[in-house]
Amino acid sequence: MRKKKLIAAVLMGLVVAGSGSVFAQESIESLGFSLDVVWLFIGAILVFIMQAGFALVETGLTRAKNATNITMKNVMDFCFGAIVYWALGWGFMYGKDALGGLIGTDQFFFNQMELTQENAEVYRNWFFQVVFAATSATIVSGAMAERTQFKSYLIYTCFISAFIYPISGHWAWSGDGWLAKLGFHDFAGSTVVHSVGGWAALMGAGVLGPRIGKYIRGSDGKISVKAFPGHNIPYAALGVLLLFFGWFGFNGASTLTSLGGGSIWSGINISRVCVTTTLGAAAGAAGALIFSWLWFKKPDASMTLNGVLAGLVAITAPCGVVSPGAAVVIGLIAGVLVVLAVEFIDKVLKVDDPVGAVSVHCVCGIFGTIAVGIWANAPDDGIIGLLHGGGFGQLGIQLIGILAVGAWAVVTSLILFLVIKAIFGLRVSPKEELVGLDLSEHKAEAYAGFQIFSNT
């Protein structure tokens, strides 16, 4: 009898131990999921702060009479963009794939209330992705600053967040997209986010035309280019530092998992991403400072600030697959490239981009995506660049992605701006432009009680 009781007790202990093991495993998995949620939420909040950075950069690098207008655009492109991305953009980007990796087809107006892990993942991922959509949309604001009708800008920003950005994003990031299956690598969006916004900015600025007095034809037929200095460089510097700060969420959280994701390698990769991001930005600033100093004979503040952003944009695609040394090289090249691009776009193409948005986001976004095919050294992920023995395979795939996404952004944004111009009007009147958009569009001065001196 005692023997039977002993056997029963042992069996009961084994059952309890087994149940505890299962419970422990479930607890670990639950903890890992919770840590991933927290990490992505922290990352999303950091990226959201970048909206304030963009607002300050654009305000500081333009004239005081348009500060309220620029601030309003940066606030409202997120607010309107969030609504349309929830309604349409998320479904186009991450819905069930159709047409061979071209577009998502469900999860529009998602409204689930049942507390399941699947629904929690949708909420988590949407919150992280919506701030990226807002970043792509707000890039255009700076290139079209000081002469765009506010209502027309809102129409544009809704369209890019609902349609242009999500569809090309589906190609590269959904997992089912045709570029993703091809092996295209854009870790956090040099092309998917930045060059899409940069191409749209170029189309918008081109359709809109330059600010009054920007390009003046002399009696000899030659065109002189007039600079309109920004009214507040400290604002611009603060904005760049906020963007730098937010970029640790932009790149770091694009690992999409924390240490709770199940492997210590997740935490190591986050660390490496943040190191390469830091070095890319720092080298971008150094490259732009030194190059502009040699070219203009003075250390140019606005070029140096754009150099920081150039380095950040360029390192965004390769940050997870390159070494710290490669990040420095990529940043230095981006810093030089942004200075050359600003001068070329302004003085050769004669496209008026008040803050250098096209040079930073389009040009350096393209370069950063190409950099993957040159400097990548991640054999475990199957991503090896030209300099590490990978040949031209990855570089060719990167170029295909650049061309495809660029063509999509150019065609759709150009059509959009031409339609808006034809139906609603895109540009304010010359009188409204000279008065300033703060008063003509909003009847609210940014610096009430201060006299703003401007004859242009």
Side-chain angles (χ1 to χ4, degrees):
M1 188 71 177
R2 292 177 61 186
K3 188 176 181 180
K4 288 182 179 179
K5 288 182 178 180
L6 179 61
I7 292 172
V10 171
L11 291 174
M12 182 64 70
L14 290 173
V15 170
V16 171
S19 300
S21 177
V22 172
F23 178 76
Q25 181 64 31
E26 291 178 350
S27 297
I28 291 172
E29 290 177 358
S30 177
L31 176 62
F33 177 77
S34 298
L35 288 173
D36 289 347
V37 170
V38 171
W39 174 236
L40 283 186
F41 272 39
I42 291 172
I45 291 166
L46 288 172
V47 179
F48 177 76
I49 291 172
M50 291 170 67
Q51 286 294 122
F54 279 118
L56 284 168
V57 169
E58 293 169 21
T59 300
L61 293 180
T62 52
R63 291 170 290 184
K65 62 183 180 180
N66 300 302
T68 295
N69 175 259
I70 288 170
T71 303
M72 285 287 289
K73 288 194 296 182
N74 279 274
V75 171
M76 297 314 300
D77 63 20
F78 179 82
C79 295
F80 276 78
I83 294 170
V84 298
Y85 189 73
W86 163 74
L88 299 172
W90 171 261
F92 284 135
M93 193 164 181
Y94 290 105
K96 183 179 179 181
D97 179 67
L99 302 176
L102 287 178
I103 193 169
T105 58
D106 66 0
Q107 299 191 49
F108 302 110
F109 296 92
F110 74 86
N111 210 33
Q112 295 90 341
M113 287 298 293
E114 186 179 356
L115 295 178
T116 64
Q117 181 164 325
E118 181 180 356
N119 289 343
E121 288 175 354
V122 172
Y123 281 113
R124 175 197 68 187
N125 295 338
W126 181 89
F127 184 67
F128 184 65
Q129 292 298 333
V130 70
V131 290
F132 282 72
T135 298
S136 188
T138 201
I139 289 167
V140 182
S141 172
M144 299 176 67
E146 302 198 305
R147 72 264 201 211
T148 306
Q149 291 185 29
F150 185 64
K151 69 175 186 294
S152 299
Y153 179 80
L154 294 180
I155 295 169
Y156 147 77
T157 199
C158 287
F159 198 88
I160 191 172
S161 296
F163 185 66
I164 298 176
Y165 164 76
I167 289 180
S168 56
H170 179 83
W171 301 350
W173 281 354
S174 70
D176 296 318
W178 70 274
L179 280 177
K181 291 179 179 178
L182 193 64
F184 177 74
H185 181 82
D186 186 1
F187 187 81
S190 287
T191 282
V192 175
V193 178
H194 292 282
S195 75
V196 167
W199 282 119
L202 180 61
M203 295 301 103
V207 172
L208 190 61
R211 291 167 289 179
I212 295 172
K214 176 65 178 178
Y215 301 109
I216 303 171
R217 187 179 297 276
S219 57
D220 57 357
K222 293 183 179 180
I223 297 175
S224 62
V225 181
K226 181 177 180 179
F228 295 127
H231 83 281
N232 198 322
I233 294 300
Y235 269 17
L238 179 58
V240 166
L241 291 174
L242 282 175
L243 287 167
F244 198 159
F245 177 68
W247 230 285
F248 293 117
F250 200 97
N251 287 358
S254 288
T255 57
L256 303 181
T257 183
S258 66
L259 190 57
S263 169
I264 190 171
W265 298 112
S266 302
I268 292 173
N269 195 40
I270 291 169
S271 303
R272 185 173 64 187
V273 165
C274 289
V275 168
T276 55
T277 298
T278 302
L279 292 173
L289 171 68
I290 295 168
F291 188 69
S292 65
W293 201 336
L294 293 172
W295 193 346
F296 307 123
K297 309 305 179 186
K298 292 288 184 180
D300 188 281
S302 63
M303 287 292 190
T304 303
L305 294 174
N306 268 337
V308 177
L309 302 181
L312 287 166
V313 170
I315 200 61
T316 292
C319 61
V321 295
V322 298
S323 67
V328 171
V329 175
I330 291 167
L332 285 170
I333 295 173
V336 173
L337 196 59
V338 75
V339 178
L340 292 171
V342 166
E343 290 294 294
F344 179 78
I345 291 169
D346 193 35
K347 296 178 180 177
V348 178
L349 296 184
K350 300 291 191 297
V351 173
D352 184 13
D353 178 0
V355 303
V358 177
S359 302
V360 169
H361 298 281
C362 183
V363 175
C364 293
I366 290 171
F367 168 65
T369 309
I370 291 173
V372 173
I374 298 174
W375 285 280
N377 188 19
D380 291 341
D381 298 318
I383 304 171
I384 306 175
L386 180 64
L387 297 182
H388 294 280
F392 290 93
Q394 189 65 48
L395 181 58
I397 292 171
Q398 297 301 111
L399 291 173
I400 290 171
I402 290 166
L403 292 172
V405 174
W408 166 256
V410 166
V411 172
T412 52
S413 61
L414 179 60
I415 292 172
L416 174 61
F417 285 121
L418 290 174
V419 170
I420 293 173
K421 182 178 180 179
I423 297 176
F424 304 100
L426 189 60
R427 185 169 184 145
V428 298
S429 69
K431 181 180 179 180
E432 290 171 328
E433 183 178 343
L434 291 172
V435 168
L437 273 59
D438 288 3
L439 290 175
S440 63
E441 287 279 278
H442 306 282
K443 293 185 178 180
E445 294 180 283
Y447 305 100
F450 291 84
Q451 185 173 0
I452 304 299
F453 293 96
S454 178
N455 55 7
T456 58

